């Protein structure tokens, strides 16, 4: 069975200023690989008087259009007198504000909230209808748990009490995002929520044994379902290879290629969790690196402290670091506990588990009880599918994983009815800050916050624009905020009582609404919003960029993306620039090339209808600056504002823009 292409091809259109037709061959595509993401260059705007882009301003706006900004302390955005005189919905006053994106970590700052947005961060006085006294407290972005499960109505409140404002089910998830998002929107989930396409769940529709591979026909159908799921909002694709060992490369690689095509990450519970032959952590990590290398897709290693890194953490991290240095997009997460937990009837407890995990029956404890296991009770509870915790993780592995710059925090749990849970369901985030940042000083406070906010947002924000305004404290960001006492924040949940909420967290705001304060949880506040993948496709040119040189003239299509305008980066060759791509740095370097091409030789194809327009984190680098680029197929596109920043003066005309190309 052959998978039909989703979108068809069409003839390339070339736009000429004159009416004469000119046959042009398709230029050799500039091959671009890699997946890390940053914000796109903004669209140029027009000076209404002159109709040109304003020199020295990439956005093309005039400074005279804005009120004069008053000076602020270093690392703070400036504020106008009008902003300082405004009355805001909420003002968080006098706190230690931490923004991992900018490196801001200062006491005595005020955060003003209007609606669901942070309007101002300042060291000056501002007024609010409600004032929160944060003196002596830390004000941070709301924590994002990117390795959670479905936001059930019980567990979400323990998440909020742990400072979590975004619950993203990337370990697990759903095979039907359309129904999943609809359900959690309908029940008014109190925190933000999103999910992956969960391959195991989708695979189960065929009743395939966990030890058997899918057939080629089944695999084809699953790829089609995954593509639909992504277009329905799934944030990525997730695999659990240790739990379903029958899943092999023939099933994984087609989905990895799909993930690359759609610019979304693939989350892996790796295949092995130990260092006993056959099947070691090293083999498990190498398998994932190889998938990334073969497809170009982003890979995230789930809970590396318990799978893929236990007993081999330094070596496993070094392998990932080396692959990252070669341009592969690899990340991982960890949780701050030296014991893992899972169901006793899972493949993880197949024969030989004692040797693999270097533990015995007594190292297992039934969640929610004080009971340690014996051989007879193990066999009885295994038949019942009970969840047990296993005291099997060296603490040094936790510290090593936390210290790695590309490892973030993920709980791998959410409290469910019956309380048959690991305590990380209630305490992961407070424990990270209280135990490993404050008490053990394994990481700094700002790094701990970054691992719980900025890094998970950046991991998923390539195709989920909602996350670009989360994980940060700054003007224009969503008002998802946690305020805590750094001296007192700690986890209280235990194996025996996994439902105990964390302490030291004073306030939690979600979408600008206070969900937790001194009076406790406000369960009538339901501010959660869905976090979905969103895809922009090419639907025709957004105008023309006309290049003129003497009697020569040629027009190339302008591409519009999220309010910005772009042109094929190869247009720079008309201005005497050379272009050189570096696959490891994802950088297109601009140099000088005196042999300018004739405009008639410009061979810049229009994208195909419905082709995906993606922000893969590609950069354009020239002497004096750099900017983000757009990716469409195998070609890169530079923002018109970027051209202006390079000194290329654009003038508005009826068809779009024009520029004079001098000899």
């Amino acid at each position: 069975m052959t998978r039909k292409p989703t979108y068809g091809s069409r003839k390339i259109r070339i736009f000429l200023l004159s009416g004469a037709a000119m046959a042009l061959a398709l230029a050799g595509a500039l091959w671009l690989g890699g997946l890390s993401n940053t914000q796109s260059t903004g669209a140029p705007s027009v000076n209404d008087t002159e109709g040109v882009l304003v020199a020295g301003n990439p956005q093309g706006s005039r400074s005279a259009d804005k009120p004069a900004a008053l000076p602020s302390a270093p690392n703070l955005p400036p504020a106008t007198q009008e902003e300082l005189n405004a009355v805001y919905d909420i003002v968080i006053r006098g706190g230690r504000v931490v923004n991992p994106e900018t490196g801001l970590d200062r006491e005595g700052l005020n955060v003003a909230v209007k609606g669901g947005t942070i309007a101002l961060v300042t060291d000056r006085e501002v007024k609010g209808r409600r004032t929160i006294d944060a003196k002596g407290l830390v004000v941070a972005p709301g924590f994002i748990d990117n390795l959670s499960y479905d936001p059930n109505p019980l567990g979400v409140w323990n998440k909020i009490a742990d400072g979590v404002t975004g619950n993203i089910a990337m370990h697990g998830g759903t095979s039907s995002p359309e129904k999943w998002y609809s359900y959690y929107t309908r029940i008014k989930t109190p925190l933000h929520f999103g999910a992956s396409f969960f391959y195991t769940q989708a695979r189960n529709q065929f009743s395939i044994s966990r030890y058997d591979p899918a057939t080629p026909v089944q695999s084809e159908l699953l790829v089609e379902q995954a593509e639909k799921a992504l277009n329905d909002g799934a944030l990525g694709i997730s695999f659990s290879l240790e739990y379903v060992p029958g899943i092999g490369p023939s099933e994984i690689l087609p989905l990895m290629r799909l993930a690359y095509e759609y610019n979304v990450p693939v989350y892996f519970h790796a295949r092995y969790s130990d260092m006993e032959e056959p099947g070691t952590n090293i083999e498990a990590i190498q398998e994932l690196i190889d998938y990334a290398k073969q497809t170009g897709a982003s890979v995230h290693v789930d809970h590396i402290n318990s799978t893929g890194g236990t007993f081999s953490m330094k070596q496993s991290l070094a392998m990932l670091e080396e692959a990252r240095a070669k341009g592969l997009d690899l990340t991982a997460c960890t949780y701050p506990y030296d014991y893992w937990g899972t169901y006793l009837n899972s493949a993880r407890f197949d024969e030989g588990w004692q040797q693999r995990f270097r533990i015995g029956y007594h190292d297992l404890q039934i969640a929610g009880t004080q009971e340690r296991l014996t051989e007879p009770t193990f066999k009885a509870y295994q038949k019942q599918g009970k969840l047990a915790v296993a005291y099997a993780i060296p603490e040094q592995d936790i510290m090593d994983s936390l210290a790695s710059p590309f490892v973030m925090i993920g709980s791998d749990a959410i409290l469910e009815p019956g309380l048959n849970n690991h305590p990380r369901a209630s305490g992961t985030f407070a424990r990270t800050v209280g135990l490993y940042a404050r008490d053990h000083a394994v990481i700094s406070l700002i790094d701990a916050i970054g691992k719980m906010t900025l890094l998970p947002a950046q991991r998923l924000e390539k195709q989920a624009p909602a996350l670009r305004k989360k994980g940060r404290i700054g003007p224009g960001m969503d008002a998802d905020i946690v305020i805590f006492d750094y001296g007192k924040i700690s986890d209280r949940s235990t194996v025996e009582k996994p439902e105990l909420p964390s302490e030291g967290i004073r306030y939690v705001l979600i979408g600008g609404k206070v969900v937790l304060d001194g009076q406790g949880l406000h369960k009538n506040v339901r501010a959660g919003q869905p976090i979905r993948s969103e895809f922009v496709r090419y639907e025709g040119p957004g105008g023309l960029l006309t290049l003129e040189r003497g009697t020569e003239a040629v027009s190339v299509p302008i591409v519009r993306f999220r309010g910005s305008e772009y042109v094929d980066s190869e247009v720079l060759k008309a201005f005497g620039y050379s272009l050189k791509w570096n696959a490891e740095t994802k950088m297109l370097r601009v140099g000088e090339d005196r042999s300018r091409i004739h405009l008639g030789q410009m061979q810049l194809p229009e994208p195909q209808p419905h082709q995906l327009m993606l922000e893969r984190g590609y950069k354009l680098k020239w002497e004096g600056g750099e900017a983000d680029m757009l990716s469409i197929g195998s070609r890169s596109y530079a923002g018109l504002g970027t051209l202006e920043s390079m000194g290329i003066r654009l003038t508005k005309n009826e068809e779009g823009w024009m520029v004079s190309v001098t000899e």
Side-chain angles (χ1 to χ4, degrees):
M1 177 177 179
T2 302
R3 177 178 166 226
K4 295 180 180 179
T6 307
Y7 299 102
S9 60
R10 77 180 226 185
K11 295 180 179 179
I12 298 170
R13 295 192 299 168
I14 303 296
F15 298 90
L16 300 176
L17 183 64
S18 64
M22 180 177 290
L24 295 177
L26 175 63
L30 174 64
W31 188 90
L32 297 177
L35 291 160
S36 60
N37 179 70
T38 55
Q39 297 292 329
S40 64
T41 303
S45 59
V46 181
N47 181 312
D48 295 330
T49 304
E50 299 178 341
V52 299
L53 288 173
V54 181
N57 187 339
Q59 299 299 319
S61 59
R62 294 174 290 173
S63 59
D65 293 337
K66 291 185 176 182
L70 301 175
S72 291
N75 231 6
L76 287 179
T80 66
Q81 192 62 56
E82 181 181 0
E83 289 172 325
L84 294 173
N85 290 340
V87 178
Y88 297 95
D89 296 333
I90 299 174
V91 170
I92 303 167
R93 190 180 304 281
R96 178 183 175 182
V97 176
V98 178
N99 182 7
E101 185 175 49
T102 63
L104 175 66
D105 184 355
R106 288 194 50 216
E107 297 181 354
L109 298 183
N110 302 318
V111 178
V113 174
K114 184 176 182 180
T117 303
I118 297 171
L120 196 62
V121 179
T122 181
D123 55 354
R124 296 170 179 263
E125 287 296 314
V126 285
K127 302 180 182 67
R129 296 181 182 87
R130 176 174 180 177
T131 299
I132 294 174
D133 182 5
K135 187 175 182 180
L137 303 177
V138 174
V139 180
F143 305 148
I144 300 170
D145 188 353
N146 78 140
L147 206 74
S148 187
Y149 296 86
D150 293 359
N152 72 77
L154 172 67
V156 290
W157 298 107
N158 284 61
K159 290 289 184 189
I160 292 170
D162 200 28
V164 173
T165 57
N167 183 91
I168 301 177
M170 296 301 291
H171 196 6
T174 177
S175 59
S176 180
E178 185 177 20
K179 295 179 181 178
W180 191 92
Y181 279 106
S182 176
Y183 173 75
Y184 288 107
T185 299
R186 188 169 63 253
I187 67 171
K188 297 183 178 180
T189 301
L191 40 58
H192 307 306
F193 53 94
S196 70
F197 173 73
F198 185 25
Y199 185 71
T200 299
Q201 185 182 97
R203 191 180 191 266
N204 285 343
Q205 71 186 287
F206 300 115
S207 300
I208 308 168
S209 164
R210 64 189 181 193
Y211 301 102
D212 293 331
T215 67
V217 171
Q218 291 167 339
S219 184
E220 289 275 1
L221 289 171
L222 287 164
V223 171
E224 291 178 7
Q225 291 174 18
E227 184 167 21
K228 182 181 186 304
L230 293 176
N231 283 290
D232 287 340
L235 295 169
I237 299 169
S238 60
F239 289 97
S240 294
L241 302 185
E242 185 175 25
Y243 290 114
V244 193
I247 298 174
S250 64
E251 294 180 64
I252 296 168
L253 286 171
L255 286 157
M256 294 286 289
R257 295 186 185 101
L258 179 72
Y260 176 76
E261 178 186 347
Y262 276 80
N263 199 34
V264 297
V266 184
Y267 275 53
F268 280 98
H269 177 124
R271 196 174 296 278
Y272 306 119
S273 300
D274 60 82
M275 288 299 291
E276 301 300 316
E277 297 283 0
T280 68
N281 288 333
I282 305 309
E283 294 173 52
I285 295 296
Q286 189 61 56
E287 178 184 11
L288 304 187
I289 292 172
D290 288 344
Y291 291 146
K293 187 183 300 183
Q294 291 178 61
T295 64
S298 300
V299 166
H300 180 86
V301 183
D302 298 348
H303 46 60
I304 193 170
N305 57 310
S306 65
T307 310
T310 311
F311 315 126
S312 66
M313 186 60 68
K314 285 184 171 62
Q315 186 176 354
S316 295
L317 292 172
M319 292 172 66
L320 294 171
E321 185 63 55
E322 181 181 359
R324 284 168 55 87
K326 294 178 180 178
L328 299 182
D329 186 12
L330 302 164
T331 56
C333 62
T334 189
Y335 52 77
Y337 295 84
D338 59 0
Y339 49 94
W340 46 263
T342 194
Y343 297 97
L344 292 171
N345 60 349
S346 73
R348 198 172 174 99
F349 282 105
D350 283 352
E351 186 177 352
W353 59 267
Q354 297 99 321
Q355 291 73 34
R356 292 197 302 274
F357 303 128
R358 305 178 188 179
I359 57 175
Y361 293 107
H362 189 68
D363 296 306
L364 302 179
Q365 182 176 348
I366 296 297
T369 76
Q370 296 181 339
E371 183 178 2
R372 295 291 186 113
L373 298 190
T374 63
E375 183 174 1
T377 57
F378 171 83
K379 291 179 179 179
Y381 287 134
Q382 190 175 41
K383 291 179 181 179
Q384 298 175 32
K386 285 280 191 178
L387 187 143
V389 303
Y391 296 92
I393 303 175
E395 187 171 20
Q396 187 62 48
D397 285 352
I398 305 299
M399 295 189 287
D400 289 341
S401 63
L402 283 170
S404 175
F406 59 85
V407 176
M408 60 199 75
I409 303 300
S411 73
D412 186 26
I414 188 168
L415 192 71
E416 296 177 350
L419 310 184
N420 186 29
N421 283 85
H422 192 292
R424 64 191 180 215
S426 301
T428 290
F429 295 87
R431 184 178 177 89
T432 298
V433 176
L435 185 61
Y436 286 100
R438 181 192 62 217
D439 295 349
H440 293 343
V442 173
I443 48 176
S444 67
L445 174 61
I446 192 170
D447 284 345
I449 290 173
K451 288 175 179 294
M452 302 186 296
T453 59
L454 183 65
L455 290 187
Q458 290 176 330
R459 173 73 283 181
L460 294 165
E461 71 185 9
K462 297 185 185 80
Q463 295 308 141
L467 285 170
R468 299 181 186 185
K469 292 190 175 184
K470 301 186 187 300
R472 296 100 163 159
I473 293 281
M477 298 296 106
D478 291 340
D480 301 327
I481 300 170
V482 59
I483 305 170
F484 60 86
D485 185 332
Y486 188 35
K488 295 181 179 179
I489 187 171
S490 63
D491 61 309
R492 297 173 58 237
S493 57
T494 65
V495 176
E496 295 80 11
K497 295 185 177 181
E499 76 280 8
L500 294 178
S502 297
E503 63 182 2
I505 295 174
R506 301 287 188 241
Y507 297 88
V508 175
L509 282 70
I510 299 178
K513 297 180 179 179
V514 178
V515 186
L516 172 69
D517 60 13
Q519 298 178 357
L521 289 162
H522 297 282
K523 295 190 176 182
N524 61 320
V525 177
R526 302 298 179 104
Q529 295 295 318
I531 299 172
R532 305 171 179 265
S533 283
E534 299 177 17
F535 300 99
V536 180
R537 298 181 183 274
Y538 182 74
E539 301 296 346
L544 304 176
L545 173 64
T546 303
L547 292 76
E548 294 181 335
R549 180 191 291 145
T551 60
E552 282 188 298
V554 64
S555 293
V556 297
I558 292 172
V559 169
R560 292 187 182 274
F561 177 82
R562 301 192 192 281
S564 298
E565 296 178 299
Y566 297 81
V567 291
D568 195 308
S569 60
E570 296 240 339
V571 79
L572 292 169
K573 291 182 177 180
F575 298 92
Y577 292 116
S578 63
L579 301 175
K580 185 177 181 180
W581 172 249
N582 186 313
E584 292 186 3
T585 62
K586 284 54 170 194
M587 187 78 72
L588 183 63
R589 291 190 174 273
V590 176
E592 291 188 7
D593 183 0
R594 295 184 179 181
S595 59
R596 301 188 180 191
I597 65 172
H598 294 291
L599 294 186
Q601 296 175 323
M602 293 291 293
Q603 300 179 1
L604 305 183
E606 180 188 4
Q608 295 182 8
H610 313 302
Q611 196 166 6
L612 285 165
M613 306 163 67
L614 303 168
E615 293 169 288
R616 295 190 182 274
Y618 300 157
K619 295 281 188 180
L620 184 72
K621 176 75 173 180
W622 69 95
E623 186 176 354
E626 68 176 44
D628 302 295
M629 294 190 297
L630 183 67
S631 170
I632 306 179
S634 59
R635 304 190 71 85
S636 63
Y637 287 72
L640 294 189
T642 299
L643 270 60
E644 187 276 333
S645 296
M646 297 173 67
I648 299 172
R649 185 180 177 87
L650 305 180
T651 304
K652 189 72 174 173
N653 65 12
E654 291 183 0
E655 293 181 309
W657 297 88
M658 66 179 299
V659 59
S660 178
V661 183
T662 59
E663 295 291 346

